[in-house]
């Protein structure tokens, strides 16, 4: 073979990668042995070893990628979902800046649409779903003191499904948006749904498979493997929130997966959503049967985290344990019945419109039960404004705003005015940024001593992160809501000049948000290089006291 | 019943009352203005019929006298119109913000919506269901004479 420069570069890159892989592998084995030796219990088999490992206080480490106890799986998901969050966030800020002028500035329409699809899919499937699976795998084993942890291979394989799914979402350059509506998705052109749109569908399928399996594993941990000293009536509310989330995933995600497979099948032989017995709206209906529940999948675990953290920073107990559980479970049941509110103007007919808007009003009841429970808890406590507490308080406010805008747009008459506008985008960014993302940050800060193996984060930087994130959220979403109410359309690469002031204000908000996340990143790196200074106590494991 | 549960119930009843009122208002509107809400075409249009076709990427309007306009809808004030809407390809969504009119355009499926413009002037019209590369240019104006 003739020597070529490219070949040399390629070959050496591959060999460096292989060496790095092997080094990490052996490091991980060593690390695992070390962790097990620290623990002096007698250990018989690998399942028990894993159970011991997943009950330990564990720091974030890349060695987790070669270990398969539940806690390592959690660490893998946490690291990867953060990566997806930053990629999707960059896409979001890119879109925002490109919308500075009414005509597309630095993004061509196709590039804009690629970023739109990447942002939506990666944020929901990569970040929201991924971080929740991560926190579930990370927190549940030690919260419930599980005695068995035997599904390591399965959990590990499912993590790689999720990882590859995310990679496919990024590199497929799909422009079908996170709905993947038929027939757009099956137009395999740059101008339609993207040449490799089916790869993005495969990515979604892989991630949803992982989410389904993880849900079953969580239910198994909670109902079968937990330490029997924890009675069901004393189960932590975070565990209840995972029960609710897992059941919601299992009862609705498969519907959307079937629809995705039908879309892929229709590429070859169009029978499902077109022709004599199919309709394009059929896909939309199957999609929203999952499309609504996923937004609750993204918030219910955040509710659970608030229940766990709030009492600790308010020095009190949760006002009412019972209504906490009832609220979480009712949310799961009711949010399975409202999906039609995404299709009011599609021609469901007025009867269905009425049914879905009424069920949507009902969802507000368990949401209100939950919020009142928090407010009552705050009322009876003494509030300490630590960084996680700031995120929690902001999350509650943002959720209330998001919930009220949600109920408003569930009104058939109002929906005709704001469907398809930035009002809707504002509605869900309040919740997905303020609640889902905010509570993930709150958990990361609260767990920082554990996650970093006994280090403290820099409080000034963490506060800057909080204030920039909260401020950025408002500066971005309030103009969206105002513009949206006057008809500013969403998912556009350019717009009528009359909307420019709203778009520009929102762009500034997006930039503030970006700077905030940069501070977060710097803080993570800076603080993890500091010497060990505190105990690595996991505050989410200690006993929680609940009211009745 | 103890005090704590009582507090919870009071708040809950307040919320349910507000929601019930909203639901009632919603019911009233939906029933009394059902023609103004997008729904499958039932063969009994009110007023002047305009056939609308969405395609990648534009809107075509066909009036009763056979005239056709693209990306521009011309109406008379105080006349009731029914739009009968369908699509040539992917799903679109015709939206006239100032009139509160919104209706999906779906391939192989027709929807209808009725309305009566009152004030002469020029208004905007947009596609608000994402439909590919030039989705953002799928917009135009509504002129009321
Ligand atoms: C009080 C409860 C809520 C109600 C009544 C409600 C209602 C609605 C309605 C009616 C829509 C459709 C708007 C339209 O496109 O015309 C919508 C969209 C949306 N909601 Fe909510 N919502 C609620 C809570 C939430 C929560 C907790 C989240 C999540 C984190 C959420 C996330 C979303 C998202 C992501 C969309 C838009 C999906 C899309 O079109 O891309 N909502 N909501
Ligand atoms: C980092 C800050 C964020 C920025 C700057 C941002 C920006 C944006 C922008 C500009 C859009 C609108 C695109 C359009 O309609 O043309 C959008 C849509 C969206 N965002 Fe975000 N976003 C952020 C955070 C998040 C988070 C944390 C989530 C979810 C967990 C999220 C989920 C979504 C979804 C689901 C859509 C809808 C995509 C679609 O319409 O297909 N975003 N975001
Ligand atoms: Cu919904
Ligand atoms: Cu369109």
């Amino acid at each position: 073979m003739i020597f070529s420069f490219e070949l040399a570069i390629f070959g050496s890159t591959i060999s460096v990668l292989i060496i790095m892989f092997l080094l990490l592998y052996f490091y991980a084995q060593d690390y695992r042995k070390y962790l097990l030796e620290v623990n002096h219990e007698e250990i018989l088999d690998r399942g028990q070893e894993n159970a011991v490992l997943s009950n330990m206080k564990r720091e974030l480490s890349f060695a987790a990628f070669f270990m398969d106890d539940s806690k390592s799986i959690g660490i893998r998901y946490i690291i990867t979902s953060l990566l997806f969050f930053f990629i999707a966030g960059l896409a979001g800020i890119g879109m925002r800046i490109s919308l500075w002028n009414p005509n597309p500035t630095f993004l061509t329409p196709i590039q804009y649409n690629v970023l739109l699809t990447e942002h939506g899919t990666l944020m929901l499937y990569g970040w929201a779903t991924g971080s929740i699976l991560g926190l579930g795998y990370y927190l549940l084993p030690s919260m419930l003191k599980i005695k068995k942890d035997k599904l390591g291979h399965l959990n590990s394989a499912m993590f790689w499904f999720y990882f590859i799914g995310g990679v496919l979402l990024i590199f497929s350059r799909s422009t079908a948006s996170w709905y993947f509506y038929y027939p757009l998705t099956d137009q395999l052109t740059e101008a339609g749904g993207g040449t490799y749109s089916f790869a993005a569908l495969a990515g979604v399928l892989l991630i949803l498979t992982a989410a389904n399996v993880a849900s079953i594993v969580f239910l198994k941990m909670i109902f079968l493997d937990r330490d029997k000293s924890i009675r069901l009536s004393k189960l932590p509310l975070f565990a209840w929130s995972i029960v609710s989330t897992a059941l919601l995933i299992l009862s609705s995600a498969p519907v959307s997966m079937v629809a995705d497979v039908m879309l892929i099948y229709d590429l070859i032989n169009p029978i499902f959503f077109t022709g004599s017995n199919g309709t394009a709206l059929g896909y939309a209906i199957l999609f929203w049967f999952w499309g609504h529940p996923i937004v609750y999948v993204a918030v219910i675990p955040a509710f659970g985290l608030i229940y766990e953290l709030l009492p600790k920073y308010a020095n009190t107990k949760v006002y009412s344990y019972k209504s906490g559980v009832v609220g979480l479970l009712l949310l799961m049941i009711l949010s399975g019945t409202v999906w039609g509110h995404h299709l009011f103007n599609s021609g469901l007919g007025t009867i269905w419109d009425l049914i879905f808007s009424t069920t949507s009003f009902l969802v507000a009841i368990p949401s209100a039960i939950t919020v009142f429970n928090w407010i009552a808890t705050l009322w009876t406590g003494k509030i300490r404004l630590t960084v996680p507490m700031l995120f929690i308080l902001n999350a509650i406010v943002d959720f209330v705003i998001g919930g009220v805008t949600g109920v408003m747009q569930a009104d058939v008459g109002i929906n005709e005015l704001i469907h398809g506008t930035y009002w809707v985008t504002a509605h869900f960014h309040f919740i997905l940024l303020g609640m889902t993302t905010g509570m993930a940050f709150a958990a990361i800060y609260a767990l920082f001593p554990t996650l970093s193996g006994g280090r403290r984060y820099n409080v000034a930087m963490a506060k800057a992160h909080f204030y920039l994130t909260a401020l950025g959220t408002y500066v971005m979403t309030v103009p969206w809501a105002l513009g949206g109410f006057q008809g500013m359309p969403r998912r556009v690469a350019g717009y009528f000049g009359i909307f420019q002031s709203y778009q520009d204000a929102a762009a500034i908000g997006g930039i503030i948000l970006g700077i905030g996340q940069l501070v977060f990143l710097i803080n993570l790196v800076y603080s993890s290089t500091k010497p060990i200074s505190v105990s690595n106590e996991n505050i989410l494991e200690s006993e929680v006291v609940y009211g009745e | 019943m103890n005090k704590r549960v009582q507090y919870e119930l009071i708040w809950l009843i307040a919320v349910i009352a507000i929601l019930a009122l909203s639901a009632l208002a919603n019911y009233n509107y939906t029933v009394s203005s059902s023609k103004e809400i997008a729904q499958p075409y039932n063969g009994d249009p009110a007023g002047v019929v305009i056939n609308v076709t969405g395609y990648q990427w534009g809107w075509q309007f066909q009036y009763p006298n056979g005239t056709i306009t693209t990306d521009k809808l011309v109406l008379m004030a105080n006349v009731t119109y029914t739009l009968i809407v369908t699509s040539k390809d992917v799903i679109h969504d015709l939206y006239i913000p100032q009139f509160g009119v919104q209706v999906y355009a779906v391939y192989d499926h027709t929807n209808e919506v009725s309305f009566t413009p009152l004030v002469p002037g020029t208004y905007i019209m947009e596609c608000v269901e994402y439909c590919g590369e030039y989705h953002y240019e799928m917009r135009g104006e509504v002129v009321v004479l």
Side-chain angles (χ1 to χ4, degrees), chain A residues 227-302:
Chain A
D227 189 75
K228 289 295 172 264
S229 65
I230 304 171
R231 301 208 332 270
L232 212 51
S233 58
K234 286 277 184 303
L235 207 58
L237 280 167
F238 178 72
W240 277 117
S241 76
I242 293 288
V243 170
S244 174
T245 311
L247 292 175
L248 199 52
I249 292 179
L250 289 171
S251 60
S252 55
V255 175
S256 166
M257 294 170 72
V258 168
D260 289 345
V261 174
M262 286 161 135
L263 274 183
I264 296 176
Y265 187 83
D266 266 2
L267 279 174
I268 306 155
N269 177 19
I271 55 168
F272 288 116
F273 302 123
T274 184
S276 58
N277 52 0
T279 150
L281 282 178
Y283 173 81
I285 288 169
L286 292 177
F287 170 73
W288 286 113
F289 192 81
W290 156 247
H292 182 83
I294 190 186
V295 307
Y296 270 93
V297 167
V299 286
I300 295 177

Side-chain angles (χ1 to χ4, degrees), chain A residues 178-179 288 295-296 299 341-342 360 363 367 399 403 406-407 409-410 415 419 424 427-428 431-432 490:
Chain A
W178 84 280
Y179 297 178
W288 286 113
V295 307
Y296 270 93
V299 286
H341 66 209
H342 296 270
S360 305
V363 184
S367 310
F399 178 70
V407 174
Q409 68 195 10
N415 195 270
H419 178 67
V424 179
H427 154 70
F428 63 80
I431 306 173
L432 289 170
R490 61 187 276 214

Side-chain angles (χ1 to χ4, degrees), chain A residues 6 23 69 119 153 177 182 230 256 362 426 460-462 464 507 523 541:
Chain A
E6 286 84 359
L23 280 178
D69 59 287
H119 177 77
H153 294 319
S177 88
Y182 186 86
I230 304 171
S256 166
L362 288 180
M461 270 200 266
N523 195 0
E541 274 165 9

Side-chain angles (χ1 to χ4, degrees), chain A residues 81-362:
Chain A
S81 63
L82 273 172
L83 177 74
F84 289 153
F85 170 72
F86 280 103
I87 297 173
L90 271 180
I93 294 164
M95 288 190 285
R96 269 307 359 131
I97 296 174
S98 178
L99 287 170
W100 189 268
N101 285 324
N103 284 319
T105 55
F106 75 96
L107 294 174
T108 64
I110 288 183
Q111 285 166 342
Y112 185 94
N113 296 343
V114 170
L115 293 187
L116 172 75
T117 309
E118 277 180 9
H119 177 77
T121 49
L122 270 188
M123 278 294 186
L124 288 172
Y125 295 122
W127 166 241
T129 310
S131 62
I132 285 154
L133 297 189
L135 286 170
Y137 274 120
Y138 188 82
L139 292 175
L140 286 179
S142 39
M143 232 177 211
L144 306 171
K145 305 191 184 67
I146 58 164
K147 293 286 172 253
K148 271 192 239 154
D149 191 2
K150 289 192 172 154
L151 295 177
H153 294 319
L154 181 68
N155 288 332
S156 179
M158 286 306 127
F159 167 78
W160 291 112
F161 271 31
Y162 160 83
F163 185 88
I164 295 168
V167 172
L168 284 176
L169 289 178
I170 298 171
F171 288 105
S172 63
R173 287 179 49 85
S174 169
T175 49
S177 88
W178 84 280
Y179 297 178
F180 293 104
Y181 271 176
Y182 186 86
L184 185 67
T185 306
D186 282 1
Q187 289 185 337
L188 295 185
T189 58
E190 291 251 295
T195 318
Y196 301 105
S197 210
F198 52 86
L201 279 176
V204 172
L205 280 169
L206 287 173
I207 294 178
L208 290 184
T209 309
N212 276 304
V213 172
S215 301
I216 296 172
V217 171
F218 290 161
L219 292 176
K220 176 174 178 300
M221 271 188 211
I222 293 169
F223 290 112
L224 302 177
D225 295 347
R226 71 170 193 282
D227 189 75
K228 289 295 172 264
S229 65
I230 304 171
R231 301 208 332 270
L232 212 51
S233 58
K234 286 277 184 303
L235 207 58
L237 280 167
F238 178 72
W240 277 117
S241 76
I242 293 288
V243 170
S244 174
T245 311
L247 292 175
L248 199 52
I249 292 179
L250 289 171
S251 60
S252 55
V255 175
S256 166
M257 294 170 72
V258 168
D260 289 345
V261 174
M262 286 161 135
L263 274 183
I264 296 176
Y265 187 83
D266 266 2
L267 279 174
I268 306 155
N269 177 19
I271 55 168
F272 288 116
F273 302 123
T274 184
S276 58
N277 52 0
T279 150
L281 282 178
Y283 173 81
I285 288 169
L286 292 177
F287 170 73
W288 286 113
F289 192 81
W290 156 247
H292 182 83
I294 190 186
V295 307
Y296 270 93
V297 167
V299 286
I300 295 177
F303 290 180
L305 285 173
I306 292 189
Y307 276 126
E308 297 296 326
L309 287 171
L310 198 55
K312 295 193 171 108
Y313 298 112
N315 296 327
T316 179
K317 33 189 184 177
V318 170
Y319 184 76
S320 165
Y321 177 79
K322 274 189 205 135
S323 62
V325 177
V326 169
L328 291 174
L329 295 181
L330 263 185
L331 275 176
M332 179 251 302
I333 295 166
L334 289 177
S335 59
T337 63
V338 304
W339 46 271
H341 66 209
H342 296 270
L343 293 168
F344 279 148
N345 308 291
S346 69
L348 291 178
T350 40
I351 306 284
W352 284 111
D353 283 0
L354 254 179
I355 292 175
F356 285 121
S357 79
T358 309
T359 53
S360 305
F361 290 144
L362 288 180

